[in-house]
Amino acid sequence: MVKYNGLMVPEVAKRNEALRARKEAMAQRILGMDDRKRATQPSDGGFSPAELVAHMAKAEEFNLAFLRKVGPSGLDGRRVKPGVLYGHVLKSFQARKRI
């Protein structure tokens, strides 16, 4: 369970579990692909399934390192500051077809 200031946060724990389940399902789908399909980039130049997983893992490592450094109390009252590429990346993900 996720704790904040020593207290359980059920909503965060619920979201965390849903995210974990979705990541596991995506990993299983990609592992079920043959090597060629896993490494094939779409015609629009986007990430291959293998590159997508590697990219997401790197982003998660970065985020986890940041959260461990700052901690929950360091985030209180802070607003999210999306980076320069955030809008572009979000639009590209929204435009992609689900596999």
Side-chain angles (χ1 to χ4, degrees), residues 22-95:
R22 288 173 50 197
K23 286 178 5 183
E24 177 65 26
M26 183 180 76
Q28 291 304 316
R29 288 180 77 178
I30 291 172
L31 287 171
M33 296 175 179
D34 62 47
D35 290 344
R36 182 193 55 77
K37 188 172 183 179
R38 209 176 9 247
T40 301
Q41 289 184 307
S43 61
D44 65 1
F47 291 128
S48 71
E51 290 170 328
L52 177 63
V53 169
H55 177 76
M56 291 174 67
K58 196 65 168 169
E60 193 167 301
E61 285 176 22
F62 174 81
N63 290 337
L64 185 57
F66 173 78
L67 291 173
R68 284 184 174 149
K69 178 181 173 186
V70 174
S73 61
L75 299 175
D76 281 345
R78 288 179 66 174
R79 294 180 54 122
V80 174
K81 296 179 186 174
V84 176
L85 298 175
Y86 177 79
H88 174 71
V89 171
L90 184 61
K91 285 179 187 175
S92 73
F93 282 148
Q94 291 171 337

